């Protein structure tokens, strides 16, 4: 007996409350740590992040790690060296 | 909701297949039309664009830079809830193949007209069924027409079928390039308000669509069990479309006075001992031979496969039960099996019948070659040998042997 889990007829999902996507946080070996006191709020990391994980907090930026793959682009591009990549435990 | 429409004809015109298809598009009022002209369907695109230029059709026109983009425009618009139309042929279908797969997988009710043409190589701008049969396993619904009037009628039925919430699948309306796309026939045009009334039930269905108020992920990046679930739903919807197609056609017959037999058209099959199976315009030649043989007292009939995907397995089994032999005339080949596609699929389907009916296969009409009455006579003679249990050739290429 076939059992369905999705209410949708096709490969669609409500984007509320969260985008339906792979839990790419699983892939992360290193994570960005934001030193918000060094952040100049220039927005470069916000623009560069391939998965949109960098969050604009009004006067500074930090990261929502839900989908962050730990690619390190933000840390490399930050002109103030406010972001450091830290190894995840057990990875 | 059912609408009562009394059959009536606004006017009778002489149209070729491209023009009849374009007129069907006009009547169905798509929101977006995206086509790249390609022989043998270029006049259809020109006619649709002329309708827009003349202010008769209020549709967004997209002059896409290549067929994959043309269909991708339809994917986007259809995801946002628009009614879309696209036409192409042969190499155009090949170029849009990735988007073609996505349209079906995303369950988007795009309607595509295909003036069928041979696939290159060898390079040949000539008629065949090879283009759509090559794409048969992409998850679309594929309907094949025999005449020009049927193209117009099928366009209208196609939107009803595609947009039904239990189906939600893209539909190919296929008609032979050249033989139908450029052939002129008498066509009865329905009234716009009757077509509006026929399509009106679709307005009550609200399918999930891309919008800012209630954001949707289309398609989700899916794997494992959920992927299998959506594949299963797709396959189930395709099977459901067989019955739904016949229901819609019955409603169409009541409203417009024409129908074509549903999934398959049966021609003198009831008492027939031999049945010739075919698809598309060449069935006309087969019906002529059936007529002349019947005058001589031979019990012979014909079946035209109209719904090619999903395959009308149950209807075929019902129609072929108890026959002495089946001859299958294909205007295509199935690579890997040295036969035509319908030969292969009918062989597979009739395994379920207890009688072990012999099947003979014929390749005819590929590369724009003719399917003459003499060739069909030969095909019938060979199939009679099979019915009598005599030695015969299993596959015959009628144009070259």
């Amino acid at each position: 007996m076939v059992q369905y889990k999705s209410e949708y007829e096709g490969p669609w999902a409500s984007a509320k409350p969260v985008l339906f996507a792979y839990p790419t946080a699983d892939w992360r070996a290193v994570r960005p740590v934001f030193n918000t006191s060094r952040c100049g709020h220039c927005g470069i990391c916000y623009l560069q992040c391939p998965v949109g994980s960098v969050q604009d907090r009004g006067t500074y930026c930090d990261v929502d790690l839900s989908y962050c793959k730990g690619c390190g682009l933000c840390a490399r591009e930050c002109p103030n060296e406010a972001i450091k990549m830290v190894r995840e435990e057990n990875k | 909701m059912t609408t009562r429409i009394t059959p009536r004809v606004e006017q009778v015109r002489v149209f070729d297949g491209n023009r009849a298809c374009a007129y069907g598009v006009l009547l169905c009022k798509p929101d977006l039309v995206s086509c790249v002209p390609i022989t043998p369907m270029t006049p259809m695109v020109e006619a649709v664009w002329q309708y827009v230029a003349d202010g008769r059709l209020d549709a967004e026109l997209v002059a896409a830079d290549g067929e994959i983009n043309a269909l991708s425009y339809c994917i986007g618009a259809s995801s946002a809830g628009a009614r879309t139309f696209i036409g192409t042929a042969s190499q155009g279908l090949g170029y849009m193949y990735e988007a073609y797969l996505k349209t079906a997988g995303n369950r988007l009710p795009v309607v595509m007209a295909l003036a069928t043409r041979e696939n290159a190589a060898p390079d040949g701008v000539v008629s065949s069924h090879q283009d759509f049969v090559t794409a048969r396993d992409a998850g679309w619904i594929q309907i094949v027409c025999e005449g020009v009037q049927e193209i117009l009628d099928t366009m209208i039925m196609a939107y009803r079928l595609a947009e039904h919430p239990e189906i939600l699948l893209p539909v190919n309306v296929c008609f032979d390039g050249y033989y139908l796309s450029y052939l002129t026939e008498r066509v009865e045009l329905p009234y716009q308000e009757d077509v509006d009334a026929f399509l009106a039930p679709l307005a009550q269905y609200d399918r999930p669509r891309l919008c800012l108020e209630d954001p949707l992920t289309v398609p989700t990046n899916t794997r494992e069990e959920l992927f299998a679930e959506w594949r299963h739903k797709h396959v189930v919807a395709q099977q459901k479309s067989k019955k739904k197609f016949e229901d819609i056609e019955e409603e169409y017959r009541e409203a417009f006075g024409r129908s074509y037999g549903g999934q398959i058209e049966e021609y003198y099959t009831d008492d027939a001992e031999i049945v010739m199976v075919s698809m598309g315009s060449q069935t006309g030649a087969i019906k002529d031979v059936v007529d002349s043989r019947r005058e001589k007292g031979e019990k012979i009939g014909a079946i035209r496969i109209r719904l090619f995907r999903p395959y009308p397995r149950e209807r075929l089994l019902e129609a072929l039960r108890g026959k002495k032999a089946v001859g299958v005339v294909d205007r295509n080949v199935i690579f890997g099996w040295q036969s035509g596609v319908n030969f292969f699929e009918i062989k597979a389907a009739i395994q379920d019948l207890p009688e072990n009916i012999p099947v003979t296969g014929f390749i005819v009409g590929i590369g724009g070659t003719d399917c003459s009455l003499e060739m069909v006579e030969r095909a019938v003679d060979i199939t009679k040998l099979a019915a009598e249990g005599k030695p015969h050739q299993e596959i015959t290429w009628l144009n070259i042997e």
Side-chain angles (χ1 to χ4, degrees):
Chain A
M1 186 69 190
V2 174
Q3 299 205 335
Y4 291 150
K5 287 181 183 160
S6 167
E7 60 182 294
Y8 289 102
E9 177 67 20
W12 322 311
S14 173
K16 291 177 179 172
V18 65
L19 197 67
F20 189 98
Y22 282 131
T24 48
D26 281 5
W27 304 1
R28 196 169 61 229
V30 286
R31 87 186 120 90
V33 175
F34 281 56
N35 181 350
T36 52
S37 61
R38 287 184 72 102
C39 175
H41 200 224
C42 65
I44 288 175
C45 57
Y46 180 90
L47 293 173
Q48 291 284 341
C49 177
V51 285
S53 290
V54 175
Q55 306 292 309
D56 180 5
R57 305 294 187 196
T59 54
Y60 63 92
C61 290
D62 66 7
V63 64
D64 175 345
L65 290 169
S66 308
Y67 292 97
C68 170
K69 299 172 191 169
C71 71
L73 257 178
C74 54
R76 181 171 161 153
E77 294 299 322
C78 176
N80 293 338
E81 295 178 351
I83 306 167
K84 281 204 166 58
M85 302 307 289
V86 177
R87 190 146 201 95
E88 292 282 6
E89 281 174 30
N90 306 323
K91 293 264 183 170
Chain B
M1 189 171 84
T2 46
T3 348
R4 300 299 303 174
I5 311 163
T6 317
R8 55 179 182 154
V9 177
E10 193 210 358
Q11 53 176 313
V12 176
R13 296 283 293 273
V14 176
F15 273 175
D16 64 16
N18 280 322
R19 173 65 73 152
C21 178
Y23 201 83
V25 175
L26 173 70
L27 291 168
C28 293
K29 300 180 177 171
D31 303 299
L32 177 132
V33 175
S34 173
C35 293
V36 178
I38 179 169
T39 302
M41 62 62 119
T42 302
M44 181 227 298
V45 183
E46 289 170 350
V48 173
W49 285 47
Q50 191 64 51
Y51 289 139
V52 176
D54 294 345
R56 296 175 69 186
L57 177 62
D58 180 21
E60 184 91 22
L61 290 180
V62 184
D65 52 350
E67 279 84 355
I68 186 164
N69 287 353
L71 186 53
S72 297
Y73 276 108
C74 291
I75 291 178
S78 189
S79 303
R83 178 172 294 170
T84 58
F85 170 76
I86 181 166
T88 193
S90 179
Q91 303 307 104
L93 183 63
Y95 189 27
M96 65 172 66
Y97 189 58
E98 187 194 340
Y100 190 78
L101 295 169
K102 285 199 155 218
T103 316
N106 283 351
R107 307 293 301 276
L108 299 170
V110 173
V111 171
M112 177 194 291
L114 269 176
T116 69
R117 191 184 115 184
E118 196 61 78
N119 281 351
D123 281 7
V125 188
V126 284
S127 188
S128 168
H129 288 162
Q130 197 64 44
D131 52 2
F132 73 91
V133 302
T134 301
R136 67 190 178 280
D137 293 331
W140 283 56
I141 292 169
Q142 296 180 321
I143 307 170
V144 191
C145 301
E146 188 196 353
V148 174
Q149 176 77 59
E150 187 184 343
I151 298 170
L152 190 155
D153 295 332
T154 307
M155 283 302 299
I156 299 164
M157 288 184 253
Y159 279 104
R160 269 294 293 271
L161 183 62
E163 292 179 19
H164 193 282
E166 286 175 27
I167 308 299
L168 288 181
L169 284 171
V171 176
N172 268 161
V173 177
C174 312
F175 50 93
D176 297 55
Y178 305 89
Y179 289 100
L180 292 181
S181 73
Y182 295 152
L183 172 91
T184 49
E185 281 186 341
R186 177 186 190 277
V187 181
E188 296 181 1
L189 305 184
Y191 279 87
Q192 177 69 61
E193 55 261 40
D194 291 349
V195 175
D196 290 346
F198 185 75
L199 296 177
L202 293 170
Q204 68 187 309
Y205 307 131
D206 194 22
R207 63 186 165 96
R209 63 194 70 198
L210 288 176
C211 62
L212 291 172
E213 299 74 35
D214 188 12
L216 199 65
T217 309
V218 184
T220 57
N221 205 343
T222 320
R223 56 183 175 179
E224 297 163 2
E225 287 82 4
L226 206 48
F227 196 108
E229 171 176 334
W230 278 320
R231 269 284 189 270
H232 190 267
K233 285 174 170 171
H234 188 158
V235 171
V236 168
Q238 234 194 355
Q239 291 302 312
K240 273 189 202 167
S241 70
K242 297 179 184 175
K243 169 83 167 55
K244 191 63 69 185
F245 180 54
E246 301 208 327
D247 292 347
I248 289 168
E249 182 157 320
E250 178 54 22
E251 219 182 297
Y252 193 87
R253 189 190 60 76
E254 283 171 21
F256 299 96
R258 285 183 298 277
S259 69
Y260 303 92
Q263 301 168 49
I264 59 173
E265 182 190 350
E266 297 184 46
Y267 193 73
Y268 294 111
T269 50
D270 283 349
D271 66 338
E273 291 172 352
I274 291 173
V275 174
M276 304 302 287
V277 181
S278 184
M279 194 160 68
S281 67
Q282 74 215 16
T283 317
I286 294 170
K287 286 174 178 171
D288 282 354
V289 171
V290 167
D291 289 344
S292 63
R293 295 272 181 142
R294 284 237 158 217
E295 279 173 22
K296 294 177 198 155
E298 292 182 30
K299 288 188 173 172
I300 173 172
I303 288 176
R304 175 167 70 92
I305 291 172
R306 218 172 143 239
L307 188 64
F308 176 65
R309 276 292 178 272
Y311 209 65
R313 178 182 169 191
E314 299 78 9
R315 283 283 309 271
L316 282 168
L317 286 183
E318 211 176 294
L320 295 177
R321 180 162 286 137
K323 305 303 178 203
K324 288 191 178 159
V326 182
V328 186
V329 184
D330 273 299
R331 188 179 285 236
N332 57 69
V333 298
I334 176 167
F335 287 104
W337 285 95
Q338 164 75 338
S339 73
V341 173
N342 283 311
F343 172 83
F344 173 85
E345 303 212 348
I346 282 177
K347 281 276 256 194
I350 65 170
Q351 291 302 306
D352 290 349
L353 293 177
E355 299 97 332
N356 197 17
I357 303 170
V359 184
T360 52
F362 304 94
I363 310 285
V364 72
I366 64 173
T369 50
D370 198 9
C371 175
S372 68
L373 296 180
E374 293 72 28
M375 289 170 193
V376 180
E377 297 278 4
R378 276 175 61 207
V380 171
D381 289 339
I382 292 170
T383 309
K384 277 175 74 178
L385 289 178
E388 292 158 7
K390 291 179 183 162
H392 63 278
Q393 194 165 315
E394 190 180 40
I395 307 291
T396 310
W397 290 56
L398 291 169
N399 301 106
I400 54 174
E401 59 179 295

